[in-house]
Amino acid sequence: MNWTQYAKVYDLMADRNPAYQQLLKDFCAYMADLCIPIDGIILDLGAGTGQFSLLAAQYYPHCKIIHMDQDAEMIARAKEKAEALNLTNIEFICGDICSPQLQNGTVQLLLSIHCLYACGHHNQALAQAFLKIAPDGNAYFIDPGRCIDIRDWSIYIFKHLLKSRGLIYTVTTFIRGLPVARSNRTILKLQKEGTYWTHTSEQFGNALNQAGFTVNKLDTCYRGYSDRAICKKKALVV
Ligand SMILES: C[S@@+](CC[C@H](N)C(=O)[O-])C[C@H]1O[C@@H](n2cnc3c(N)ncnc32)[C@H](O)[C@@H]1O
């Protein structure tokens, strides 16, 4: 999968897809209820162009956000946006989420949105994620468990854009978004051949439990394609 190619058009898709916008709104509602200590660390694994990490950086100006991704182009896009927003509390790390070079037990909130399925070794990534979290820390996961249906998504976004922005805007967006469709075809192929992880909600919850997480809420989102889990790392009682 060529994430560098996808990086160039990723925000075009994200900004025009109401289901993706809903994920961001839900995450804001989650943050509104969460108290993170001053100088706390928030880690976003597979953070891409910064859709979630930049929101967290704005929401928690007193915290340090670590934006980790393996793709330099994704990080470059996120950096540009962080600079435009004058955000100084975000650090960018180019690295593999399966072996993050970060101190254990230091993260108050860990996120991983639509990355675990593609990381190659989701159990290893989850085990590492668990280690990085501080006792009593939090984790917020969203992962696409079902194979992407490109026709279904195209019709959904086309209808939404046609209704809200008109025909010319819709057709122009689809032409500009051709690389998105190409990337999604590759993702579908990798899902079908088993290189990318597909799962039911139950399987997703079990993988999180096995890594040590306490899953407080598990639901489906993103039009039923993704599973979302709100988790805690319970502090050990001695
Ligand atoms: C679908 S994008 C999601 C980006 C972002 N979390 C969001 O929701 O907008 C998946 C991201 O995971 C990154 N990724 C995939 N495997 C990775 C790995 N093993 N380590 C770090 N990043 C990885 C890709 O580079 C890409 O930016």
Side-chain angles (χ1 to χ4, degrees):
M1 173 68 193
N2 187 337
W3 290 108
T4 301
Q5 281 304 316
Y6 203 178
K8 297 183 175 121
V9 285
Y10 191 82
D11 287 339
L12 180 78
M13 177 286 293
D15 295 345
R16 286 158 183 78
N17 180 347
Y20 189 88
Q21 291 303 310
Q22 187 61 47
L23 297 183
L24 295 169
K25 276 189 206 145
D26 293 347
F27 179 58
C28 286
Y30 167 76
M31 286 192 294
D33 284 343
L34 194 67
C35 210
I36 305 228
I38 291 190
D39 294 335
I41 295 181
I42 298 172
L43 171 62
D44 187 348
L45 295 173
T49 60
Q51 292 275 350
F52 284 75
S53 65
L54 300 193
L55 265 188
Q58 291 169 85
Y59 211 90
Y60 299 110
H62 55 280
C63 289
K64 174 177 160 183
I65 318 299
I66 302 176
H67 173 121
M68 178 178 274
D69 201 282
Q70 69 178 3
D71 187 81
E73 185 62 29
M74 287 280 185
I75 290 189
R77 301 269 153 172
K79 261 188 192 165
E80 268 173 29
K81 294 195 291 183
E83 276 164 24
L85 291 165
N86 287 322
L87 294 173
T88 51
N89 59 333
I90 181 158
E91 181 187 330
F92 296 91
I93 299 182
C94 197
D96 186 346
I97 68 158
C98 300
S99 48
Q101 303 297 304
L102 298 167
Q103 211 183 323
N104 287 347
T106 54
V107 171
Q108 269 76 34
L109 168 62
L110 181 136
L111 324 172
S112 190
I113 316 294
H114 286 180
C115 175
L116 288 166
Y117 78 108
C119 76
H121 303 280
H122 58 269
N123 286 328
Q124 190 183 328
L126 283 173
Q128 283 295 320
F130 188 77
L131 285 176
K132 302 305 162 205
I133 301 178
D136 218 29
N138 306 281
Y140 190 93
F141 295 104
I142 304 178
D143 204 53
R146 270 64 71 195
C147 281
I148 187 166
D149 181 336
I150 295 161
R151 190 168 173 272
D152 173 54
W153 276 109
S154 302
I155 292 171
Y156 169 74
I157 295 172
F158 193 91
K159 276 188 178 165
H160 163 75
L161 287 181
L162 190 62
K163 196 169 162 203
S164 58
R165 309 298 292 265
L167 185 63
I168 294 174
Y169 183 92
T170 305
V171 172
T172 316
T173 302
F174 268 73
I175 292 168
R176 284 177 62 208
L178 282 175
V180 178
R182 261 198 299 279
S183 297
N184 285 335
R185 274 198 294 276
T186 306
I187 289 173
L188 175 63
K189 181 173 164 280
L190 294 168
Q191 284 179 315
K192 279 186 173 165
E193 72 188 28
T195 306
Y196 280 1
W197 184 31
T198 54
H199 47 77
T200 61
S201 283
E202 195 187 349
Q203 288 165 337
F204 189 56
N206 288 343
L208 292 168
N209 283 326
Q210 263 171 28
F213 291 98
T214 303
V215 180
N216 289 332
K217 188 175 172 202
L218 179 63
D219 65 359
T220 61
C221 55
Y222 209 46
R223 305 180 62 235
Y225 285 90
S226 296
D227 298 309
R228 174 173 46 203
I230 293 176
C231 306
K232 277 303 267 192
K233 173 172 178 171
K234 285 235 170 102
L236 284 179
V237 181
V238 281

